[in-house]
Each structure stands twice: as structure tokens, then as C-alpha cells.
Amino acid sequence: AQSVAQPEDQVNVAEGNPLTVKCTYSVSGNPYLFWYVQYPNRGLQFLLKYITGDNLVKGSYGFEAEFNKSQTSFHLKKPSALVSDSALYFCAVRGWGGSYIPTFGRGTSLIVHP
Amino acid sequence: EAGVAQSPRYKIIEKRQSVAFWCNPISGHATLYWYQQILGQGPKLLIQFQNNGVVDDSQLPKDRFSAERLKGVDSTLKIQPAKLEDSAVYLCASSLDGELFFGEGSRLTVL
């Protein structure tokens, strides 16, 4: 069975500093990985995905994520955080076969302080 | 391009009552998902449709939850009778090539 772990319930960072939100995964075969962001009372919005190719994936709003196969990780990063980045972030994984159902982590609350 | 539409956005009911949620996916998206998101948790899949057929409903509590997508386009999710633990946000998503597009969600409060 596939699974996602987001080890931090909350990440605090000062505006202008780099941020990292951690994600590790477990899946049979090669992974298809996603990051989504959720603002209060809103649905999930797609940020970026990794399918194959370059291990560094660039996405929306200046976010990027690094795929590390040996560590089964897909950490979300941004060089300079903004207060408006404060939101709930979800990592998701799915395999390449079967019903292609993405499994989500429990989410990490990112708080960017002015 | 219009996004995934869901209604109602909010619903408050008493336990043992019934409720229905509606979802209209992005045009042309064959795959439709219903997820349940309980406060403080990640979304949990309830059911996946491919066109009008069910692909996976293994986590759907079938004694009280039902879902249909009769014409392969919009979908309804019904809960009857509702329990207190059904209080959650019900998210509908559609996809074309694996990337999910979510609606705003329907927040259910069961009193």
C-alpha cells in the first residue's frame, strides 16, 4: 500500500527566509508525486508534480521540490518565504499502475511571520 | 476554463438526517473523485469514478454513503443517515492525466 508521511504538523519561518516542508513516501514502483496548497475554507490547489526526469521540479508561486529516490523524499522548498505563503500544504503520491488513486499526507501548516 | 463546481458550500444537519452533495467536474475530465477531509487530517478517498463506472469504493462506508455519476459527467454523494463523525469537508476532484483539480469543497456539520 502506498503512503505519505509529513513529519511536521507546523513549520514556522520568518518572511524572507528560505522554507522547507518535508515529505517522505512509500509506493510500489516509481512514484508520481504532488504538492498541493490549501488556504482557509478553500479547496486544494495544485503546486507542482514530479513524474520523471530532473529531480528538481519548479512549480507555482516560486515553489520547488526536490525528488530524492534513495531517501524516498519529496521536500517542498522556496528560497524566500512570503507572509502570503501561510497555508496548509499537502504532499501526495500515487503509483503508475492500478487505479491511480493519489494518497495524501496529513498536511503541514506553514506559518510565515512578518 | 471553468473549475470543479461543488454545492452546497455549507450544510448543517442533525444526526440521522440525510444530505446530498453535488459536483460538476472540469469538462472532458473522465476521472472524478470524492474525498473526505476531517479537520486536522489529509483528504481520504471515498470513491473514484472513471466516466460513469466505479473504479474504487473500498473506503466508502456503504451502509450510509452512496455516490453516483449516471451520465459520466456530474456526480452526487449522499449520506443517509448522518452520524456526528461525518462532520467534515467533502472534496470533489477531477483529473485528465493524473493531476487532480479540486473544487472548493462542501463543509458538513452534523449536530
Side-chain angles (χ1 to χ4, degrees), chain B residues 1 7 9 22 55 81 87:
Chain B
E1 177 182 82
S7 67
R9 287 294 313 278
W22 174 83
V55 175
S87 293

Side-chain angles (χ1 to χ4, degrees), chain A residues 36 38 41-42 101-102, chain B residues 9 35 37 48 97 100 104:
Chain A
Y36 287 83
Q38 186 176 35
N41 299 313
R42 304 295 296 276
I101 298 171
Chain B
R9 287 294 313 278
Y35 281 86
Q37 186 180 17
Q48 177 192 5
D97 61 355
L100 271 64
E104 297 285 284

Side-chain angles (χ1 to χ4, degrees), chain B:
Chain B
E1 177 182 82
V4 177
Q6 288 190 247
S7 67
R9 287 294 313 278
Y10 305 93
K11 188 75 176 179
I12 301 174
I13 61 173
E14 295 188 349
K15 59 183 179 182
R16 291 188 290 275
Q17 287 186 323
S18 63
V19 63
F21 302 114
W22 174 83
C23 171
N24 190 26
I26 293 172
S27 178
H29 283 195
T31 309
L32 185 148
Y33 308 80
W34 282 102
Y35 281 86
Q36 179 192 57
Q37 186 180 17
I38 293 173
L39 186 65
Q41 299 181 22
K44 184 188 84 171
L45 182 79
L46 292 174
I47 189 167
Q48 177 192 5
F49 291 95
Q50 183 74 17
N51 296 307
N52 61 348
V54 175
V55 175
D56 190 317
D57 63 357
S58 58
Q59 298 189 76
L60 186 73
K62 298 181 187 63
D63 57 333
R64 298 183 300 105
F65 286 64
S66 64
E68 60 183 15
R69 192 184 185 198
L70 293 176
K71 297 183 179 179
V73 180
D74 55 351
S75 174
T76 55
L77 175 71
K78 296 179 181 178
I79 308 174
Q80 182 180 12
K83 291 186 175 181
L84 296 176
E85 58 262 36
D86 297 332
S87 293
V89 177
Y90 291 86
L91 296 165
C92 179
S94 68
S95 76
L96 187 60
D97 61 355
E99 176 184 326
L100 271 64
F101 295 84
F102 284 86
E104 297 285 284
S106 295
R107 180 179 297 277
L108 173 66
T109 302
V110 182
L111 303 175

Side-chain angles (χ1 to χ4, degrees), chain A residues 4 6 32 34 41 50 62 77 81 89-90 107 113:
Chain A
V4 172
Q6 292 183 245
Y32 192 166
F34 307 83
N41 299 313
Y50 171 84
K77 300 180 180 183
Y89 290 81
F90 291 96
H113 303 276

